[in-house]
Amino acid sequence: MADELALGMSELTALLLSGDDVAESLCAVADTVTRMLPDHPMAGVTLTRAHGTIVGGSIGAHEMLIEESRFSEGYDPCLQAIDTAQQVSVPDVAMEHRWGGYSTRILAYGIKSVYAQPLSVNGEALGALSLYSTRPNGFTDRTRQAATLTAEHIGTLLTVAADTAQQVKLTEQLRATLASRSTIDQALGIVMAERRCDRDAAFEVLRDMSQRRNVRVADLAAEIIETVTGSKPASPRFIEPGQSSRQHRRS
């Protein structure tokens, strides 16, 4: 059991930190969870995003989750786990009366018990790990404990992935800003030379032209550079963290 759990945690780390397709990654994560947990229950992973909910299920569960997401209307154990940031247990689906027609729909797939554990990302429950059994009371204490550890691990990995994505976005924004600044600086030099004026006066010239033509200053600057030099402005080169200046010069 311990070896399977440890191996599964390693596989989850690789899947969540290297996958590009979120939906595909969630299916792979669910398959891994099924293999690593005691009794190998079917599993599903749900993430809530600004543009909607993304689900992924293990073999035998994915089609059910996709279909259920169309009818749940925000009422099911998984979404309750996300909303309340608390685990939700349904020992016997046939005896369950919460969530409207959920029990009837899920019984049609042969599911007799459900267990949902929230996934916390940066301290907020933005997803859930759900387990499904074809037997009533299908989850032992050992399975639930392993599911809790697994959900905590997945939440940590999702936090790292979210932080990394945010850092990449900020880096791209910074590069775009620096590239625009470099282009504007080159154009200012051209205007200063042509008009024999200082930098402030040259910038006023660019700003006035930008307003009259309704063109961004950076785009106008690029146009000036291309008109004078016959080529588009060179993009600034950046040294990545860990890359030496010598390597940068050789590249």
Side-chain angles (χ1 to χ4, degrees), residues 13-28:
T13 301
L15 285 169
L16 287 171
L17 297 186
S18 63
D20 295 324
D21 187 310
V22 176
E24 184 176 324
S25 295
L26 293 185
C27 289

Side-chain angles (χ1 to χ4, degrees), residues 160-173:
V160 172
D163 290 345
T164 300
Q166 179 65 16
Q167 188 60 47
V168 169
K169 181 179 179 180
L170 290 175
T171 299
E172 291 175 348
Q173 290 175 342

Side-chain angles (χ1 to χ4, degrees), residues 181-193:
R181 179 62 181 271
S182 174
T183 299
I184 292 172
D185 284 343
Q186 293 176 57
L188 286 174
I190 293 173
V191 174
M192 290 167 64

Side-chain angles (χ1 to χ4, degrees), residues 35 120 184:
R35 290 196 305 270
S120 295
I184 292 172

Side-chain angles (χ1 to χ4, degrees), residues 208-231:
D208 289 344
M209 292 176 63
S210 170
Q211 292 174 346
R212 288 199 306 271
R213 296 177 52 185
N214 194 28
V215 177
R216 292 173 59 246
V217 171
D219 293 338
L220 178 62
E223 182 181 321
I224 291 172
I225 293 170
E226 187 170 1
T227 299
V228 173
T229 67
S231 60

Side-chain angles (χ1 to χ4, degrees), residues 5-58:
L5 199 59
L7 180 59
M9 295 291 190
S10 177
E11 290 182 16
L12 291 175
T13 301
L15 285 169
L16 287 171
L17 297 186
S18 63
D20 295 324
D21 187 310
V22 176
E24 184 176 324
S25 295
L26 293 185
C27 289
V29 166
D31 280 331
T32 299
V33 170
T34 291
R35 290 196 305 270
M36 66 190 281
L37 292 186
D39 301 323
H40 310 297
M42 289 183 287
V45 181
T46 301
L47 293 181
T48 57
R49 298 289 185 87
H51 55 274
T53 300
I54 303 175
V55 298
S58 60

Side-chain angles (χ1 to χ4, degrees), residues 145-180:
Q145 290 171 1
T148 298
L149 290 174
T150 301
E152 291 175 352
H153 185 64
I154 292 174
T156 299
L157 295 175
L158 290 173
T159 298
V160 172
D163 290 345
T164 300
Q166 179 65 16
Q167 188 60 47
V168 169
K169 181 179 179 180
L170 290 175
T171 299
E172 291 175 348
Q173 290 175 342
L174 177 59
R175 287 187 172 186
T177 299
L178 291 176
S180 294

